[in-house]
């Protein structure tokens, strides 16, 4: 595996491939010596020697121990492979050749520059058409077009070489991912109490929710499965929902994917349960001018609307009086009143006295209407001029989420919170930030200013907010804003974006000790995104990540055909408590017919004709997985690594007459 990048995600991804999947990794970085660059956590320092080619440096790392963020007892033995570090300013042809791209199975391009990733992907596809590519792009539409282009290039190269079948077996696919899109649902869910991560897969909507401890003798609410047990630590109080919150590495952590025996024996502790949800809301109603300008309710002020209503009422009253006193037709009476109102009717010199009085009253009403029309014109002009400006937080706002930082991640989180209908107030110090345009288009209140300065958080009404979501790229800025917000609102829920695990652990413990009645969460974007990128490099489709404290559970979808660890096994045989379990099975594909002379297999139905996947409790633990089935799994990172090792070990054993890696699982 080859990983090219210039920030924390590249190092996280290399550690993920090495520690979880046991792969040999070549990490291409601009510099291996810069102090601000995060390191792959080895137990000893890397040995660096000078390279002779183009001034690059190769570093052979000794075998590391598992990541410190993983709880002990996961059972994964340290891999024997090493990580090779290659220094290169650009991922050009020389750098990719030195990284042995021709013999690599997959390449991940995770630079923070989309253009650089695209150029490197085109070079890599030309150097190795069979290579599996994983590209980090922020632009979604461009990513879709790039996937089609690179997949088509791989297919053309395979046909030109005459080994299309081998190329297909090599899975020369292209996957475009965005770290911001990957972690936005988890961060949005952590920011809102009672809102959880929702994953859509094979027609099912699944969400993970935290439940409070159930008193003895009272049955708990049913769910698809129990994802984790949250035991109360000896010295730490429960969070706002009543569920005990464990700290990071070093303390007793949550029990992930427990079996039925462990779940039944666990009493007095919170749980994380996976549930199925269905849409029962009302359809969205289209409104005139919605999203295209100012809302109609704010076009005119309330006082002006009442003034206009008074003028209309006066005109109707004059028309009724004219109809009653003069015996005129009501429609004609309204017409004459409007003519008198706008002073375009002839004077009623020879008319009866009631007609003269009504004409004078209509003229007086017309004089009163003139300033109302002028005020309406100015208010309407001012409203439309301010439609493109940033809104200020309205008076009386409460229970909202204060979102700090509108960069790549903050922009995606803002879009997610807006889709969920949650009130948000944004704070951004850069007027040219990426998310300012989105906040202006969505009419989200935004405060421009440095959050470290006094009065900025107060302008966002932090004292009335429910949650602070600090998502800037600076750990110290997030921490300073959180501490000041807690001093103003001690029970404020805080979600921090922190990279360093040790720093996050210290911050977590300090905030929990100082404010035991408030909820505190710390999240790392690279830590949540790295499993999805690693899964894509291994050829798996990672559908979502569910954070459980400082650990992550992954929901993935697998095709059973050709996977020795799944094909022909029952659901109970696939289950591995603490690591892996089957959630649902897509059984919509028909049984395979008898192969014909050409050995052709049955064609699976298109995606639009598939029925929703069936949950495991509907099928039973004795259901045997067919080759044409697709399974939905929830697993730890080590669980997915073990599943890959079992499949690879079985394939090796089939060729040598034995399974050399069976003892490692």
């Amino acid at each position: 595996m080859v990983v090219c990048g210039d920030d924390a995600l590249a190092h996280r991804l290399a550690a993920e491939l090495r520690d979880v999947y046991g792969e040999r990794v070549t990490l291409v970085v601009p510099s291996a010596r810069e102090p601000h660059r995060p390191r792959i956590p080895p137990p000893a320092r890397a040995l660096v020697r000078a390279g002779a080619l183009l001034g690059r440096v190769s570093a052979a790392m000794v075998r590391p121990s598992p990541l410190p963020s993983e709880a002990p007892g996961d059972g994964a033995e340290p891999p024997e492979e090493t990580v090779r570090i290659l220094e290169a300013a650009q991922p050009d042809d020389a750098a990719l050749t030195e990284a042995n791209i021709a013999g690599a199975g997959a390449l991940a391009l995770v630079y923070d520059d989309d253009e650089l990733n695209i150029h490197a992907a085109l070079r890599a596809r030309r150097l190795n058409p069979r290579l599996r590519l994983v590209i980090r792009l922020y632009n979604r539409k461009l990513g879709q077009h790039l996937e089609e282009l690179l997949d088509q290039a791989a297919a053309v190269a395979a046909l030109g070489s005459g080994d299309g079948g081998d190329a297909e077996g090599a899975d020369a696919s292209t996957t475009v991912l965005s770290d911001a899109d990957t972690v936005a649902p988890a961060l949005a869910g952590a920011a809102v109490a009672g809102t959880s991560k929702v994953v859509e897969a094979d027609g099912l909507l699944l969400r993970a929710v935290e439940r409070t401890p159930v008193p003895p003798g009272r049955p708990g609410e049913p769910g698809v499965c129990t994802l984790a047990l949250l035991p109360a630590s000896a010295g730490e109080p429960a969070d706002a929902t009543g569920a005990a919150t464990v700290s990071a590495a070093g303390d007793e952590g949550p029990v992930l994917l427990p079996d039925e025996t462990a779940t039944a024996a666990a009493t007095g502790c919170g749980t994380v349960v996976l549930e199925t949800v269905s849409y029962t809301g009302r359809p969205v109603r289209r409104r005139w001018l919605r999203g295209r300008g100012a809302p109609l309710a704010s076009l005119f002020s309330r006082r002006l609307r009442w003034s206009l209503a008074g003028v209309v009422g006066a005109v109707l009253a004059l028309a009724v009086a004219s109809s009653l006193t003069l015996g005129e037709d009501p429609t004609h009476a309204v017409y004459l009143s409007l003519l008198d109102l706008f002073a375009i009717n002839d004077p009623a010199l020879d008319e009866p006295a009631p007609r003269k009085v009504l004409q004078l009253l209509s003229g007086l009403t017309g004089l009163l209407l003139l300033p109302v029309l002028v005020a309406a014109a100015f208010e309407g002009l001012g409203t439309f001029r301010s439609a493109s400006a940033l809104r200020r937080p309205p008076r009386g706002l409460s229970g909202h989420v204060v979102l700090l930082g509108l960069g790549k991640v903050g922009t995606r989180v803002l879009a997610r919170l807006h889709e969920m209908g949650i009130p948000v107030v944004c704070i951004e110090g850069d007027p040219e930030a990426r998310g300012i345009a989105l906040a202006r288009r969505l009419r989200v209140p935004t405060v421009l200013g440095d959050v470290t300065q006094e009065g900025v958080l107060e302008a966002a009404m932090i004292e009335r907010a429910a949650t602070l979501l600090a998502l800037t790229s600076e750990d110290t800025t997030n921490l300073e804003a959180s501490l000041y917000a807690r001093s103003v609102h001690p029970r404020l829920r805080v979600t921090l974006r922190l990279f360093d695990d040790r720093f996050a652990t210290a911050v977590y413990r300090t905030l929990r000790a100082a404010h035991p009645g408030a909820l505190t969460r710390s999240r790392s974007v690279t830590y949540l995104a790295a499993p999805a990128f690693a899964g894509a490099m291994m050829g798996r489709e990672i559908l979502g990540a569910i954070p459980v404290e400082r650990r992550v559970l992954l929901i993935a979808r697998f095709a059973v055909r050709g996977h020795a660890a799944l094909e022909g096994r029952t659901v109970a045989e696939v289950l591995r408590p603490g690591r892996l379990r089957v959630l649902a099975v897509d059984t919509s594909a028909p049984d395979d017919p008898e192969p014909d002379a050409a050995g052709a297999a049955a064609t699976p139905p298109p995606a639009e004709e598939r029925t929703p996947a069936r949950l495991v409790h509907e099928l039973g633990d004795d259901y045997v997985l067919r080759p044409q089935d697709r399974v939905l799994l929830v697993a730890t990172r080590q669980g997915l690594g073990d599943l890959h090792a079992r499949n690879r070990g079985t394939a090796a054993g089939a060729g040598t007459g034995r399974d050399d890696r069976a003892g490692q699982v």
Side-chain angles (χ1 to χ4, degrees), residues 354-392:
R355 176 74 180 97
K356 296 179 179 180
V357 173
L358 291 175
Q359 190 177 49
L360 292 175
L361 293 177
S362 298
L364 180 61
T365 305
L367 293 178
L368 297 177
L369 177 62
L370 182 60
V372 175
L373 294 178
V374 173
F378 278 106
E379 283 197 7
L381 180 61
T383 301
F384 280 107
R385 291 185 61 183
S386 62
S388 59
L390 293 173
R391 289 186 59 194
R392 301 292 297 177

Side-chain angles (χ1 to χ4, degrees), residues 51 80 139 184 190 222 263 289 314 363 385 391 397 408 428 442 617:
E80 297 181 359
N139 192 325
T263 303
L289 289 182
R385 291 185 61 183
R391 289 186 59 194
L397 181 64
K408 290 183 177 180
E428 176 57 50
L442 298 179
H617 64 78

Side-chain angles (χ1 to χ4, degrees), residues 558-568 589-593 599-604 625-631 647:
F558 283 79
V560 175
R561 187 183 303 276
H563 207 295
L566 299 174
E567 187 174 352
D591 293 333
D592 289 340
T603 302
L625 298 177
R626 305 175 303 166
Q628 62 271 20
D629 289 341
R630 295 193 307 174
V631 295
N647 188 47

